[in-house]
Amino acid sequence: SVVVPAQFLADDGLVTVRAIVQDDDEAMEVFTDIVVTNVAPDLLIDGLATAVEGSPYSLSLSATDVGDDSVESWIVNWGDGVEETVTGTAVLVLHSFLDDGTFTLEITAIDEDGSYQPVSNPVVTVSNALPTLSNLAATATLENGITTLTGDISDAGVLDSFTLKVNWGDGPVPEIFTFQPGTEAFSLTHRYLDDGLSSNPSDDYPVTAMLTD
């Protein structure tokens, strides 16, 4: 028996081996075929198990192969309706999840012999990013008059809707307002029936607002 050096079996396919058998009297040429089967590459996937909506999430993809094959491209399905293809054996992929939740990533590596998936798919838990309320302002008014409350909303989670709870300062029950995803500013009105309980010609009502998504 003979051992065929590994460098001659570096890729899958049919390999024909030629040998010469010789004794004291004569030499004989012998041929045999060796079927070399493909070995799947070892996929290395590295990424955090958590992310924040709207913030970049990075995923490192690389592969090693015992043969001459090399991964040419990757398909990444992020589990949120977005799928992308990137080229290269070792790549760093960035993605922003638009909403919070738990997402299972489906990853496929492709080389000249076929496509391959990891033994298990990564799962990323995306947490909510709190919305921000800014530039809150209310106009002055007379009793039985109307004030206008304005403000700006920002949120990294672009798919989030909003609830704004406003306490106008003239009663115990706050007023609730809802806004659709993508709302960036608002203008609300409220009527003050009286100027307050003091003997002053005018009174201030403290207006407070709390924003949630």
Side-chain angles (χ1 to χ4, degrees):
S1 63
V2 295
V3 176
V4 179
Q7 63 264 31
F8 297 107
L9 306 175
D11 201 2
D12 59 294
L14 186 65
V15 177
T16 299
V17 177
R18 171 180 174 268
I20 297 177
V21 181
Q22 184 174 0
D23 59 15
D24 294 336
D25 299 320
E26 61 180 338
M28 181 175 60
E29 193 174 34
V30 178
F31 294 88
T32 187
D33 291 332
I34 299 176
V35 177
V36 182
T37 58
N38 181 56
V39 176
D42 184 17
L43 307 184
L44 306 176
I45 301 170
D46 186 22
L48 295 177
T50 59
V52 178
E53 64 177 4
S55 298
Y57 172 82
S58 61
L59 187 68
S60 175
L61 306 173
S62 61
T64 58
D65 198 309
V66 296
D68 282 342
D69 301 330
S70 60
V71 168
E72 301 168 345
S73 61
W74 301 80
I75 300 174
V76 181
N77 187 318
W78 294 99
D80 59 354
V82 177
E83 182 177 282
E84 61 180 310
T85 300
V86 292
T87 58
T89 301
V91 294
L92 182 67
V93 191
L94 298 179
H95 180 70
S96 291
F97 294 93
L98 301 183
D99 203 0
D100 55 292
T102 300
F103 302 93
T104 300
L105 313 186
E106 296 181 359
I107 300 171
T108 302
I110 300 173
D111 68 10
E112 55 265 42
D113 292 321
S115 59
Y116 314 90
Q117 289 77 35
V119 175
S120 61
N121 293 316
V123 177
V124 181
T125 300
V126 181
S127 59
N128 179 56
L130 295 178
T132 301
L133 181 63
S134 61
N135 300 323
L136 198 65
T139 59
T141 185
L142 300 173
E143 62 180 358
N144 202 36
I146 292 177
T147 183
T148 299
L149 177 69
T150 57
D152 296 327
I153 296 174
S154 60
D155 194 345
V158 297
L159 300 181
D160 292 340
S161 58
F162 307 100
T163 298
L164 181 67
K165 181 184 293 185
V166 180
N167 190 322
W168 298 99
D170 59 350
V173 180
E175 193 171 1
I176 306 297
F177 302 91
T178 58
F179 303 106
Q180 295 298 314
T183 300
E184 297 181 348
F186 61 86
S187 179
L188 308 171
T189 59
H190 177 73
R191 184 182 297 276
Y192 284 100
L193 301 179
D194 198 0
D195 64 339
L197 300 178
S198 74
S199 59
N200 298 326
S202 65
D203 292 286
D204 292 331
Y205 286 98
V207 178
T208 59
M210 183 176 66
L211 181 68
T212 57
D213 62 2

